[in-house]
Amino acid sequence: MKKNRLLAKWLNNDLSPDELAEFEASPDFEKYQKIKNYTDHLEVDDLDENAMLSSILSQKKVVPKVVPLYKKWVFKAAALFVLFLGITFALKFFVAQTETANYGEKTTFSLPDNSQVVLNSGSEINYKKWDWDNNRHLELKGEAYFRVAKGHRFEVQTSLGKVSVLGTQFNVRARKNRFDVVCYEGRVKVNYANTQILLTHGQGVSFENGKQIKMTIRSLKPEWTENQISFYKENIQNLLDEVERQYNIKIELKTKDTISLFTGKLPAKNLDIALQIISTTYHLEAKKVSKNKIIFDEK
């Protein structure tokens, strides 16, 4: 406390000779002396209070911009709309598109190059719109009839094999272990396992469990597109599976005779006649146990 008092008196030159001698003998005197010598050379202008006040008042006042609440909402809505458009565009062009035909139905649609596709009952197609003209590739589950526009190579991939064309009309069916391809116009290249076959107008081929069957076709397009189910050397279980798909029903088979193969046609719009043809061919009796269930039993 005494030290601070001596420092204050020293700065004001109020120390007595004894006090000055005591202060100069202190260990901090040299430091205080250097500080005093430095501050003696500083010059501070007199404060012009009126000038400072005028400067403050002359400055332009900035009024904060207030955005109405409804405008904020509009901006947010616009941003969400743009985001929605972006997501929609991505889904439309980059994500795989799916076309289906449920049991008892057929679906017709166009691909991006205006190629026409008819999907048979219980079938599905997946493809991408992005860069379609240069990469015309799709995946098929079931059966479909194609009328392909001319352009780059067109490929139909199934779990059993692949079909490649440039511009033609053809039918592809991949059900269980059976793979059928029929050419109605132009040329079709078929790849199955390690086998490659070139089909032309009116030719068809069928593969099942490694066996190959060639067919001659006289119709101009698949019979199923005109409500006729056509079979060529088909076993009874595959035949009944197709009837189930066309009529959206369930069929139970109670017979040991599953070896005989069926070649012919069944109507796709008259269930009673279809059941009668099957019963006569295989010597069976058809029983309707409910609206959507049929049982075939031995006579």
Side-chain angles (χ1 to χ4, degrees), residues 141-177:
K141 297 177 182 178
E143 184 172 13
Y145 171 53
F146 299 89
R147 299 180 64 184
V148 179
K150 293 187 181 298
H152 289 281
R153 183 180 299 275
F154 186 102
E155 293 183 341
V156 178
Q157 183 69 56
T158 75
S159 60
L160 299 176
K162 182 175 69 174
V163 179
S164 303
V165 301
L166 293 178
T168 186
Q169 298 182 32
F170 62 100
N171 191 83
V172 181
R173 181 175 65 169
R175 304 280 198 194
K176 292 185 176 179
N177 296 323

Tab-separated table of all heavy atoms in Angstrom, residues 141-177:
chain	number	residue	atom	x	y	z
A	141	LYS	N	-39.235	-61.186	-67.002
A	141	LYS	CA	-39.672	-62.346	-66.224
A	141	LYS	C	-41.041	-62.746	-66.763
A	141	LYS	O	-41.997	-61.993	-66.616
A	141	LYS	CB	-39.773	-62.013	-64.738
A	141	LYS	CG	-38.454	-61.619	-64.094
A	141	LYS	CD	-38.659	-61.232	-62.635
A	141	LYS	CE	-37.355	-60.794	-61.996
A	141	LYS	NZ	-37.550	-60.363	-60.582
A	142	GLY	N	-41.128	-63.897	-67.412
A	142	GLY	CA	-42.403	-64.330	-67.971
A	142	GLY	C	-42.377	-64.314	-69.479
A	142	GLY	O	-41.455	-64.800	-70.115
A	143	GLU	N	-43.420	-63.688	-70.087
A	143	GLU	CA	-43.577	-63.713	-71.541
A	143	GLU	C	-43.953	-62.338	-72.075
A	143	GLU	O	-44.748	-61.620	-71.467
A	143	GLU	CB	-44.649	-64.731	-71.945
A	143	GLU	CG	-44.816	-64.897	-73.448
A	143	GLU	CD	-45.746	-66.038	-73.822
A	143	GLU	OE1	-46.453	-66.549	-72.916
A	143	GLU	OE2	-45.778	-66.417	-75.002
A	144	ALA	N	-43.376	-61.982	-73.230
A	144	ALA	CA	-43.681	-60.691	-73.847
A	144	ALA	C	-43.475	-60.776	-75.357
A	144	ALA	O	-42.642	-61.539	-75.854
A	144	ALA	CB	-42.795	-59.595	-73.266
A	145	TYR	N	-44.264	-59.962	-76.072
A	145	TYR	CA	-44.166	-59.843	-77.527
A	145	TYR	C	-43.606	-58.467	-77.840
A	145	TYR	O	-44.092	-57.449	-77.336
A	145	TYR	CB	-45.546	-60.024	-78.156
A	145	TYR	CG	-45.630	-59.714	-79.630
A	145	TYR	CD1	-44.764	-60.295	-80.554
A	145	TYR	CD2	-46.610	-58.837	-80.100
A	145	TYR	CE1	-44.856	-60.006	-81.903
A	145	TYR	CE2	-46.722	-58.553	-81.456
A	145	TYR	CZ	-45.838	-59.133	-82.351
A	145	TYR	OH	-45.928	-58.851	-83.683
A	146	PHE	N	-42.556	-58.409	-78.677
A	146	PHE	CA	-41.852	-57.161	-78.968
A	146	PHE	C	-41.959	-56.787	-80.443
A	146	PHE	O	-41.819	-57.643	-81.323
A	146	PHE	CB	-40.361	-57.297	-78.611
A	146	PHE	CG	-40.093	-57.592	-77.169
A	146	PHE	CD1	-40.041	-58.901	-76.710
A	146	PHE	CD2	-39.888	-56.564	-76.259
A	146	PHE	CE1	-39.785	-59.185	-75.382
A	146	PHE	CE2	-39.628	-56.837	-74.926
A	146	PHE	CZ	-39.576	-58.152	-74.486
A	147	ARG	N	-42.212	-55.518	-80.682
A	147	ARG	CA	-42.112	-54.936	-82.023
A	147	ARG	C	-41.075	-53.829	-81.911
A	147	ARG	O	-41.369	-52.703	-81.493
A	147	ARG	CB	-43.456	-54.396	-82.487
A	147	ARG	CG	-44.539	-55.472	-82.589
A	147	ARG	CD	-45.867	-54.907	-83.041
A	147	ARG	NE	-45.779	-54.359	-84.401
A	147	ARG	CZ	-46.777	-53.729	-85.003
A	147	ARG	NH1	-47.935	-53.560	-84.355
A	147	ARG	NH2	-46.641	-53.270	-86.222
A	148	VAL	N	-39.832	-54.160	-82.258
A	148	VAL	CA	-38.687	-53.301	-81.967
A	148	VAL	C	-38.437	-52.297	-83.090
A	148	VAL	O	-38.360	-52.664	-84.263
A	148	VAL	CB	-37.423	-54.166	-81.744
A	148	VAL	CG1	-36.220	-53.280	-81.474
A	148	VAL	CG2	-37.654	-55.131	-80.587
A	149	ALA	N	-38.291	-51.028	-82.700
A	149	ALA	CA	-37.932	-49.976	-83.666
A	149	ALA	C	-36.476	-50.150	-84.070
A	149	ALA	O	-35.641	-50.611	-83.284
A	149	ALA	CB	-38.148	-48.600	-83.037
A	150	LYS	N	-36.160	-49.791	-85.299
A	150	LYS	CA	-34.790	-49.931	-85.786
A	150	LYS	C	-33.868	-49.009	-85.010
A	150	LYS	O	-34.225	-47.909	-84.621
A	150	LYS	CB	-34.721	-49.618	-87.283
A	150	LYS	CG	-35.462	-50.635	-88.146
A	150	LYS	CD	-35.223	-50.377	-89.618
A	150	LYS	CE	-35.992	-51.386	-90.473
A	150	LYS	NZ	-35.552	-52.762	-90.225
A	151	GLY	N	-32.636	-49.463	-84.793
A	151	GLY	CA	-31.664	-48.696	-84.025
A	151	GLY	C	-30.527	-49.580	-83.588
A	151	GLY	O	-30.216	-50.585	-84.243
A	152	HIS	N	-29.907	-49.216	-82.466
A	152	HIS	CA	-28.825	-50.023	-81.923
A	152	HIS	C	-29.351	-51.387	-81.452
A	152	HIS	O	-30.558	-51.620	-81.398
A	152	HIS	CB	-28.154	-49.287	-80.757
A	152	HIS	CG	-27.351	-48.095	-81.172
A	152	HIS	ND1	-26.086	-48.192	-81.701
A	152	HIS	CD2	-27.642	-46.767	-81.143
A	152	HIS	CE1	-25.627	-46.986	-81.978
A	152	HIS	NE2	-26.559	-46.102	-81.646
A	153	ARG	N	-28.424	-52.253	-81.102
A	153	ARG	CA	-28.788	-53.602	-80.647
A	153	ARG	C	-29.803	-53.533	-79.509
A	153	ARG	O	-29.680	-52.740	-78.578
A	153	ARG	CB	-27.541	-54.350	-80.198
A	153	ARG	CG	-27.809	-55.811	-79.766
A	153	ARG	CD	-26.514	-56.473	-79.345
A	153	ARG	NE	-25.582	-56.494	-80.467
A	153	ARG	CZ	-25.572	-57.443	-81.402
A	153	ARG	NH1	-26.444	-58.439	-81.344
A	153	ARG	NH2	-24.693	-57.416	-82.370
A	154	PHE	N	-30.792	-54.396	-79.587
A	154	PHE	CA	-31.864	-54.489	-78.596
A	154	PHE	C	-31.728	-55.842	-77.909
A	154	PHE	O	-31.720	-56.888	-78.574
A	154	PHE	CB	-33.223	-54.370	-79.299
A	154	PHE	CG	-34.405	-54.312	-78.375
A	154	PHE	CD1	-35.032	-53.104	-78.091
A	154	PHE	CD2	-34.921	-55.466	-77.800
A	154	PHE	CE1	-36.147	-53.055	-77.264
A	154	PHE	CE2	-36.023	-55.429	-76.968
A	154	PHE	CZ	-36.633	-54.215	-76.694
A	155	GLU	N	-31.624	-55.851	-76.571
A	155	GLU	CA	-31.386	-57.099	-75.834
A	155	GLU	C	-32.482	-57.351	-74.805
A	155	GLU	O	-32.895	-56.441	-74.087
A	155	GLU	CB	-30.040	-57.057	-75.115
A	155	GLU	CG	-28.843	-57.050	-76.042
A	155	GLU	CD	-27.527	-57.086	-75.288
A	155	GLU	OE1	-27.524	-56.761	-74.078
A	155	GLU	OE2	-26.502	-57.420	-75.902
A	156	VAL	N	-32.930	-58.598	-74.785
A	156	VAL	CA	-33.883	-59.051	-73.779
A	156	VAL	C	-33.187	-60.120	-72.940
A	156	VAL	O	-32.839	-61.191	-73.439
A	156	VAL	CB	-35.158	-59.635	-74.417
A	156	VAL	CG1	-36.105	-60.145	-73.330
A	156	VAL	CG2	-35.850	-58.599	-75.288
A	157	GLN	N	-32.984	-59.820	-71.667
A	157	GLN	CA	-32.292	-60.751	-70.772
A	157	GLN	C	-33.329	-61.467	-69.894
A	157	GLN	O	-34.189	-60.830	-69.289
A	157	GLN	CB	-31.308	-59.996	-69.884
A	157	GLN	CG	-30.486	-60.884	-68.964
A	157	GLN	CD	-29.490	-61.736	-69.729
A	157	GLN	OE1	-28.663	-61.205	-70.474
A	157	GLN	NE2	-29.559	-63.044	-69.566
A	158	THR	N	-33.237	-62.789	-69.826
A	158	THR	CA	-34.079	-63.580	-68.931
A	158	THR	C	-33.179	-64.436	-68.052
A	158	THR	O	-31.970	-64.492	-68.246
A	158	THR	CB	-35.048	-64.492	-69.711
A	158	THR	OG1	-34.323	-65.609	-70.243
A	158	THR	CG2	-35.720	-63.729	-70.853
A	159	SER	N	-33.772	-65.117	-67.107
A	159	SER	CA	-32.989	-65.989	-66.224
A	159	SER	C	-32.483	-67.224	-66.953
A	159	SER	O	-31.570	-67.902	-66.480
A	159	SER	CB	-33.842	-66.411	-65.019
A	159	SER	OG	-34.995	-67.124	-65.460
A	160	LEU	N	-33.069	-67.523	-68.128
A	160	LEU	CA	-32.694	-68.729	-68.860
A	160	LEU	C	-31.839	-68.447	-70.089
A	160	LEU	O	-31.133	-69.338	-70.567
A	160	LEU	CB	-33.954	-69.496	-69.290
A	160	LEU	CG	-34.851	-69.980	-68.153
A	160	LEU	CD1	-36.112	-70.631	-68.711
A	160	LEU	CD2	-34.116	-70.951	-67.245
A	161	GLY	N	-31.914	-67.247	-70.638
A	161	GLY	CA	-31.155	-66.933	-71.839
A	161	GLY	C	-31.370	-65.500	-72.269
A	161	GLY	O	-32.121	-64.753	-71.640
A	162	LYS	N	-30.682	-65.141	-73.372
A	162	LYS	CA	-30.732	-63.769	-73.864
A	162	LYS	C	-31.087	-63.742	-75.346
A	162	LYS	O	-30.688	-64.621	-76.108
A	162	LYS	CB	-29.379	-63.074	-73.647
A	162	LYS	CG	-29.345	-61.621	-74.076
A	162	LYS	CD	-28.015	-60.964	-73.721
A	162	LYS	CE	-26.874	-61.491	-74.551
A	162	LYS	NZ	-25.616	-60.752	-74.310
A	163	VAL	N	-31.837	-62.707	-75.753
A	163	VAL	CA	-32.229	-62.519	-77.146
A	163	VAL	C	-31.713	-61.165	-77.605
A	163	VAL	O	-31.897	-60.160	-76.913
A	163	VAL	CB	-33.760	-62.590	-77.314
A	163	VAL	CG1	-34.137	-62.377	-78.767
A	163	VAL	CG2	-34.290	-63.919	-76.806
A	164	SER	N	-31.066	-61.124	-78.780
A	164	SER	CA	-30.511	-59.883	-79.321
A	164	SER	C	-31.041	-59.644	-80.730
A	164	SER	O	-31.047	-60.564	-81.556
A	164	SER	CB	-28.977	-59.945	-79.358
A	164	SER	OG	-28.448	-60.202	-78.070
A	165	VAL	N	-31.472	-58.398	-81.009
A	165	VAL	CA	-31.991	-58.053	-82.337
A	165	VAL	C	-31.587	-56.621	-82.656
A	165	VAL	O	-31.059	-55.890	-81.818
A	165	VAL	CB	-33.531	-58.177	-82.400
A	165	VAL	CG1	-33.978	-59.583	-82.060
A	165	VAL	CG2	-34.189	-57.165	-81.464
A	166	LEU	N	-31.854	-56.196	-83.898
A	166	LEU	CA	-31.666	-54.803	-84.304
A	166	LEU	C	-33.012	-54.117	-84.495
A	166	LEU	O	-33.264	-53.046	-83.971
A	166	LEU	CB	-30.827	-54.723	-85.584
A	166	LEU	CG	-29.363	-55.165	-85.425
A	166	LEU	CD1	-28.652	-55.089	-86.760
A	166	LEU	CD2	-28.646	-54.299	-84.400
A	167	GLY	N	-33.894	-54.727	-85.253
A	167	GLY	CA	-35.231	-54.181	-85.437
A	167	GLY	C	-36.114	-55.270	-86.011
A	167	GLY	O	-35.943	-55.670	-87.155
A	168	THR	N	-37.037	-55.771	-85.222
A	168	THR	CA	-37.808	-56.940	-85.647
A	168	THR	C	-39.007	-57.140	-84.741
A	168	THR	O	-39.268	-56.354	-83.838
A	168	THR	CB	-36.905	-58.192	-85.626
A	168	THR	OG1	-37.614	-59.289	-86.163
A	168	THR	CG2	-36.477	-58.530	-84.222
A	169	GLN	N	-39.740	-58.240	-84.982
A	169	GLN	CA	-40.865	-58.630	-84.132
A	169	GLN	C	-40.625	-60.053	-83.644
A	169	GLN	O	-40.347	-60.942	-84.451
A	169	GLN	CB	-42.183	-58.555	-84.915
A	169	GLN	CG	-42.517	-57.152	-85.406
A	169	GLN	CD	-43.851	-57.106	-86.134
A	169	GLN	OE1	-44.776	-57.857	-85.822
A	169	GLN	NE2	-43.958	-56.217	-87.120
A	170	PHE	N	-40.743	-60.247	-82.348
A	170	PHE	CA	-40.461	-61.574	-81.792
A	170	PHE	C	-41.162	-61.742	-80.451
A	170	PHE	O	-41.602	-60.769	-79.829
A	170	PHE	CB	-38.955	-61.802	-81.638
A	170	PHE	CG	-38.289	-60.845	-80.683
A	170	PHE	CD1	-37.996	-61.231	-79.390
A	170	PHE	CD2	-37.964	-59.556	-81.080
A	170	PHE	CE1	-37.376	-60.362	-78.505
A	170	PHE	CE2	-37.347	-58.671	-80.207
A	170	PHE	CZ	-37.054	-59.081	-78.920
A	171	ASN	N	-41.233	-62.980	-80.011
A	171	ASN	CA	-41.867	-63.314	-78.734
A	171	ASN	C	-40.861	-64.076	-77.876
A	171	ASN	O	-40.134	-64.946	-78.372
A	171	ASN	CB	-43.111	-64.182	-78.959
A	171	ASN	CG	-43.948	-64.338	-77.685
A	171	ASN	OD1	-44.750	-63.474	-77.355
A	171	ASN	ND2	-43.765	-65.450	-76.979
A	172	VAL	N	-40.827	-63.757	-76.588
A	172	VAL	CA	-39.929	-64.429	-75.645
A	172	VAL	C	-40.736	-64.905	-74.455
A	172	VAL	O	-41.562	-64.152	-73.918
A	172	VAL	CB	-38.809	-63.483	-75.155
A	172	VAL	CG1	-37.875	-64.223	-74.196
A	172	VAL	CG2	-38.024	-62.918	-76.325
A	173	ARG	N	-40.481	-66.140	-74.069
A	173	ARG	CA	-41.141	-66.674	-72.872
A	173	ARG	C	-40.117	-67.423	-72.039
A	173	ARG	O	-39.407	-68.294	-72.550
A	173	ARG	CB	-42.293	-67.609	-73.237
A	173	ARG	CG	-43.013	-68.159	-71.993
A	173	ARG	CD	-44.220	-68.995	-72.348
A	173	ARG	NE	-43.864	-70.220	-73.057
A	173	ARG	CZ	-44.724	-71.225	-73.288
A	173	ARG	NH1	-45.985	-71.114	-72.895
A	173	ARG	NH2	-44.326	-72.291	-73.940
A	174	ALA	N	-40.034	-67.077	-70.765
A	174	ALA	CA	-39.134	-67.765	-69.832
A	174	ALA	C	-39.943	-68.131	-68.603
A	174	ALA	O	-40.201	-67.289	-67.744
A	174	ALA	CB	-37.955	-66.871	-69.469
A	175	ARG	N	-40.374	-69.378	-68.537
A	175	ARG	CA	-41.181	-69.872	-67.427
A	175	ARG	C	-40.510	-71.117	-66.847
A	175	ARG	O	-40.218	-72.068	-67.571
A	175	ARG	CB	-42.585	-70.262	-67.895
A	175	ARG	CG	-43.368	-69.158	-68.616
A	175	ARG	CD	-43.984	-68.172	-67.686
A	175	ARG	NE	-45.048	-67.405	-68.328
A	175	ARG	CZ	-45.565	-66.291	-67.825
A	175	ARG	NH1	-45.119	-65.811	-66.685
A	175	ARG	NH2	-46.533	-65.646	-68.462
A	176	LYS	N	-40.241	-71.091	-65.553
A	176	LYS	CA	-39.586	-72.208	-64.889
A	176	LYS	C	-38.312	-72.584	-65.642
A	176	LYS	O	-37.405	-71.772	-65.779
A	176	LYS	CB	-40.547	-73.391	-64.769
A	176	LYS	CG	-41.714	-73.151	-63.826
A	176	LYS	CD	-42.558	-74.400	-63.658
A	176	LYS	CE	-43.663	-74.184	-62.654
A	176	LYS	NZ	-44.521	-75.384	-62.494
A	177	ASN	N	-38.241	-73.812	-66.170
A	177	ASN	CA	-37.037	-74.263	-66.881
A	177	ASN	C	-37.189	-74.205	-68.393
A	177	ASN	O	-36.315	-74.689	-69.124
A	177	ASN	CB	-36.683	-75.704	-66.470
A	177	ASN	CG	-36.307	-75.810	-65.005
A	177	ASN	OD1	-35.673	-74.906	-64.465
A	177	ASN	ND2	-36.696	-76.895	-64.357
